[in-house]
Amino acid sequence: MDQMKELDNVLVQADEELKDVSDLNSLQQKKANFLGKKGPIAQVMATMRELSQEAKKELGQKSNSVKVALEELFEKKKKAIEDAIINKKLASETIDVTLPGVNVPTGSIHPLNRTIQELEDLYISMGYTVAEGPEIETDEYCFEKLNLPKGHPARDMQDTFYINPELLLRSQTSPVQVRTMLEKKGEPIKIICPGKVYRRDADDATHSHQFIQCEGLVLGKNVTLADLKGALLEMAKKMLGEEREIRLRPSFFPFTEPSTEVDVSCGLCGGKGCNVCKNTGWIEVLGAGMVNNNVLKMCGYNPDEIQGFAFGIGVERIAMLKYRIDDIRNFYTNDLRFLNQFKEVK
Ligand code: PHE
């Protein structure tokens, strides 16, 4: 029977034609061509009427099995095309994790911030807490309550930026002592306060109109000058090296009595004398002293019960000694050639 052969041929032909199909639209089209109403199977079936009962049955079965086979063939091809599409997509999205990464330029912690952080870590480890105060201060807190009434000659020690007669840019972090004492109302205190201060100084290698101090204040029963020396010696050794020594020279600050200027032994010459320490073997790093009784009283403390010490560390001074920087202006010009040197510093 010719029709039977024709049906076999349909399969062979479909197989052949599908070889070139690579997208789902064309596949759909082909499927419609082969299995649709005008397709070869439908055409063969149209000739059935002339056949015997026996032949009809045979042809019917045959056409059904060819249809099933065709459908399987198209389904298989569809799956193959879909797999190919997915594989292509995956290949295009593959990341080679062994390729070197893109280097994103990073900054570094500014040497002054780094120094402040180290000071904070050090004093926190000794039981201090960190206090803060405003950079715009009142004359009362910055001077009067620190035993510096208006017209006091010692006000000339700090040439101050005034906003109006009562408000100023703080010239020292000592007003944070005042604020803390007024808040604590006679209770013991152990704080440091790092922060920016301002003075009407002409900028040069060792002066800046804006710089950073780290104030310290410890008040309690039986706090002595020896405790002050211990707190500062520890700082000198931890910040600048275990071999460092400190010495206290008598000095004057209106808010402390006795007052002292604190020097640290020169790290370059080891104390023998060189041009960095101007042949003295010592470098001045801070002012300190026992809190003046007048200050204690003005801030609500009874000097017969509680006394203590205060110090004001020059943060730039410490950073300059630590990193061997010879011009304070380097900290404030933000020259990347300078700042990049601190990327590796730990
Ligand atoms: N505030 C002082 C200054 O700026 C430093 C200092 C602080 C001295 C605390 C004694 C006690 O010069």
Side-chain angles (χ1 to χ4, degrees):
M1 208 180 359
D2 283 352
Q3 287 99 324
M4 296 292 261
K5 244 190 215 148
E6 237 171 86
L7 285 178
D8 278 334
N9 266 342
V10 172
L11 261 185
V12 177
Q13 203 191 330
D15 205 34
E16 190 59 34
E17 284 191 26
L18 283 193
K19 279 186 186 144
D20 297 336
V21 176
S22 60
D23 67 284
L24 293 171
N25 277 346
S26 321
L27 184 71
Q28 191 61 31
Q29 191 59 49
K30 287 265 183 239
K31 192 175 174 187
N33 290 348
F34 275 93
L35 289 161
K37 280 190 188 129
K38 290 182 180 151
I41 297 177
Q43 273 171 22
V44 170
M45 298 304 277
T47 65
M48 275 233 272
R49 244 173 290 140
E50 299 130 36
L51 297 178
S52 66
Q53 202 59 22
E54 194 60 17
K56 263 187 194 164
K57 196 179 161 201
E58 210 180 322
L59 192 64
Q61 281 172 351
K62 178 76 177 171
S63 83
N64 263 345
S65 69
V66 169
K67 256 192 212 164
V68 171
L70 268 182
E71 256 152 24
E72 261 172 30
L73 190 69
F74 279 103
E75 201 45 46
K76 232 166 112 185
K77 184 70 185 180
K78 189 176 167 215
K79 181 92 185 35
I81 293 175
E82 283 171 348
D83 283 353
I85 292 171
I86 288 173
N87 284 340
K88 201 170 155 197
K89 189 157 185 273
L90 284 180
S92 74
E93 287 174 359
T94 305
I95 297 168
D96 183 351
V97 291
T98 63
L99 285 176
V102 184
N103 234 349
V104 182
T106 53
S108 57
I109 300 175
H110 193 279
L112 289 179
N113 287 335
R114 199 184 281 272
T115 307
I116 292 171
Q117 279 170 10
E118 280 181 36
L119 280 169
E120 287 182 354
D121 286 350
L122 173 64
Y123 278 106
I124 286 171
S125 79
M126 296 198 272
Y128 289 67
T129 51
V130 178
E132 281 184 341
E135 287 171 31
I136 295 176
E137 250 313 349
T138 59
D139 182 275
E140 188 191 356
Y141 285 3
C142 197
F143 293 126
E144 283 185 42
K145 280 217 161 22
L146 285 164
N147 204 26
L148 267 156
K150 285 203 170 74
H152 193 292
R155 283 196 179 213
D156 294 346
M157 287 165 75
Q158 299 176 5
D159 208 350
T160 308
F161 287 111
Y162 274 88
I163 294 164
N164 63 39
E166 292 310 323
L167 273 188
L168 46 81
L169 290 181
R170 69 178 178 193
S171 52
Q172 52 185 354
T173 42
S174 304
V176 186
Q177 291 184 36
V178 176
R179 287 177 176 274
T180 312
M181 283 193 264
L182 291 174
E183 224 172 76
K184 293 280 179 187
K185 298 189 170 55
E187 292 295 309
I189 293 178
K190 205 170 175 186
I191 53 156
I192 56 160
C193 163
K196 288 196 193 99
V197 299
Y198 303 84
R199 288 188 199 175
R200 291 178 53 190
D201 278 334
D203 292 354
D204 63 24
T206 53
H207 294 85
S208 168
H209 61 281
Q210 174 209 290
F211 58 102
I212 296 173
Q213 276 189 341
C214 180
E215 192 85 5
L217 173 70
V218 175
L219 292 182
K221 285 194 196 320
N222 305 321
V223 178
T224 68
L225 196 67
D227 297 318
L228 169 64
K229 192 172 178 190
L232 296 176
L233 181 62
E234 188 67 10
M235 186 278 294
K237 288 186 180 296
K238 289 280 149 49
M239 296 299 292
L240 300 172
E242 284 298 326
E243 71 289 354
R244 300 287 183 139
E245 294 297 332
I246 60 167
R247 81 174 177 187
L248 273 53
R249 279 182 292 114
S251 184
F252 170 78
F253 297 105
F255 28 89
T256 46
E257 181 59 39
S259 300
T260 171
E261 209 82 61
V262 181
D263 300 338
V264 49
S265 58
C266 178
L268 265 192
C269 61
K272 286 191 201 76
C274 65
N275 55 7
V276 170
C277 58
K278 301 191 190 89
N279 281 322
T280 62
W282 296 95
I283 297 165
E284 185 190 318
V285 286
L286 60 99
M290 300 307 288
V291 180
N292 190 304
N293 283 354
N294 288 341
V295 175
L296 288 172
K297 280 185 217 153
M298 274 188 279
C299 297
Y301 279 75
N302 178 356
D304 293 332
E305 280 176 12
I306 279 191
Q307 331 64 34
F309 60 79
F311 56 82
I313 303 171
V315 173
E316 282 84 354
R317 263 285 160 88
I318 299 289
M320 286 168 89
L321 291 174
K322 194 173 169 67
Y323 300 120
R324 306 242 165 110
I325 295 161
D326 56 10
D327 193 323
I328 194 172
R329 289 169 292 196
N330 283 326
F331 291 124
Y332 293 105
T333 40
N334 282 337
D335 186 331
L336 286 180
R337 289 168 302 180
F338 172 76
L339 295 176
N340 279 335
Q341 294 177 45
F342 294 89
K343 273 192 181 167
E344 303 305 325
V345 178
K346 286 274 172 296

